[in-house]
Amino acid sequence: MSDDAGGALERGRRQAGLSHADLWLRYFALGGMSTALELEGFLAGVLEPSIHDHDLVAHALNERFVELGDDHPVAYLADADLG
Amino acid sequence: MDASQYATGEGPCVDASAEGRRFHTASLAAEARWPVFVPTARALGISAILSSPLTGNGKPVGALNIYSRHAGAFGPADQQLAAVFASEASTLLSAAAGDMDEVVIGRLESALRTRHVIALAQGVLMERHAIDEDSAHRLLRRSSARTRRPVHQGATDIVVSTRPPRHTGPAPHPQ
């Protein structure tokens, strides 16, 4: 995963107005297996998530953006065709 | 499988949680207590279920559910082990509940229900399309992005679609 992809997740989290705990809960509800601490590591760029994990976090953020009336601004890695 | 029970409001998990006692079904083929749940479970290849109640501070909070594809899989020793495990888990839940407010617990319970529905739908898609777990999750996400509906809503639709259609015509009249 590129640094930019990791940074995009953190930018998305801030833009979505989600706390780390809120985002982890959404990621966990989607089926994520990483701990809240590991998720913070992904967002801070000190741990590299798998592509699957990255896209779960991206989707958790994008579901929040849809709730806010936005589209899917956070890019996926494996799910590039999701837009 | 747990999600199906939450969705339909019936099944051994629901009853074990509500009644605070263990439910053991050695063979779903001979089980008549849950007419909506049983066909769904059998369609997924489940043959035996053992549900042990979980409590937190003396109140029912859920159930520990163990499923098997083999009828008669849970002998007396297995049932006893499940009971011990559920008891230990209840002790931990009671300790944890003292430190968590009801809002946090409610959000965790909601997240667990969502997660269960999604996992169940993943299983259905894996079976239907002969794909792996991550690919099944990708299908769910793709559908979610296309329809702008949360993954768990599409997952619920898939779980519901596994239920056999109800007979709506007139009952056969004995000749």
Side-chain angles (χ1 to χ4, degrees):
Chain A
M1 188 185 72
S2 70
D3 290 345
D4 188 54
L9 294 180
E10 175 60 10
R11 285 194 296 278
R13 184 192 69 78
R14 292 182 184 175
Q15 192 181 341
L18 292 175
S19 68
H20 286 104
D22 286 337
L23 179 56
W24 177 79
L25 202 55
R26 286 168 176 267
Y27 157 84
F28 174 75
L30 283 175
M33 298 290 285
S34 296
T35 66
L37 191 59
E38 287 169 331
L39 175 60
E40 287 199 40
F42 300 157
L43 296 170
V46 296
L47 284 179
E48 183 167 340
S50 67
I51 290 174
H52 179 70
D53 262 335
H54 174 279
D55 286 349
L56 278 184
V57 177
H59 199 82
L61 288 167
N62 283 332
E63 284 198 354
R64 177 59 182 158
F65 281 115
V66 169
E67 291 171 9
L68 297 172
D70 206 340
D71 207 334
H72 286 66
V74 183
Y76 298 95
L77 295 181
D79 301 346
D81 52 333
L82 297 186
Chain B
M1 203 61 266
D2 296 344
S4 173
Q5 298 184 58
Y6 293 131
T8 61
E10 70 157 50
C13 168
V14 173
D15 287 352
S17 176
E19 299 182 24
R21 65 187 179 90
R22 187 171 65 208
F23 281 81
H24 175 222
T25 295
S27 172
L28 282 186
E31 181 57 72
R33 283 177 287 188
W34 307 291
V36 176
F37 166 76
V38 168
T40 303
R42 294 190 69 190
L44 291 171
I46 293 170
S47 295
I49 300 176
L50 182 58
S51 293
S52 304
L54 295 172
T55 59
N57 292 326
K59 299 176 185 174
V61 295
L64 169 70
N65 305 299
I66 308 173
Y67 304 102
S68 176
R69 294 183 182 278
H70 306 289
F74 307 117
D78 299 311
Q79 295 176 45
Q80 181 62 25
L81 189 61
V84 169
F85 191 84
S87 174
E88 291 295 322
S90 295
T91 301
L92 286 173
L93 283 170
S94 298
D99 296 330
M100 290 194 290
D101 63 41
E102 291 185 4
V103 173
V104 173
I105 292 173
R107 293 182 64 197
L108 280 172
E109 288 173 344
S110 174
L112 280 170
R113 279 194 288 273
T114 298
R115 190 181 166 99
H116 278 308
V117 171
I118 292 171
L120 189 58
Q122 268 180 281
V124 172
L125 292 176
M126 290 166 69
E127 173 76 20
R128 279 184 186 168
H129 303 297
I131 54 178
D132 65 19
E133 191 175 341
D134 287 358
S135 298
H137 207 288
R138 282 191 66 201
L139 287 182
L140 291 169
R141 294 200 300 271
R142 178 176 291 131
S143 173
S144 167
R146 190 175 61 247
T147 60
R148 295 174 59 85
R149 298 170 74 215
V151 167
H152 74 84
Q153 287 186 8
T156 300
D157 291 344
I158 289 170
V159 171
V160 169
S161 75
T162 63
R163 292 184 198 145
R166 287 187 177 180
H167 179 71
T168 54
H173 193 277
Q175 298 297 316

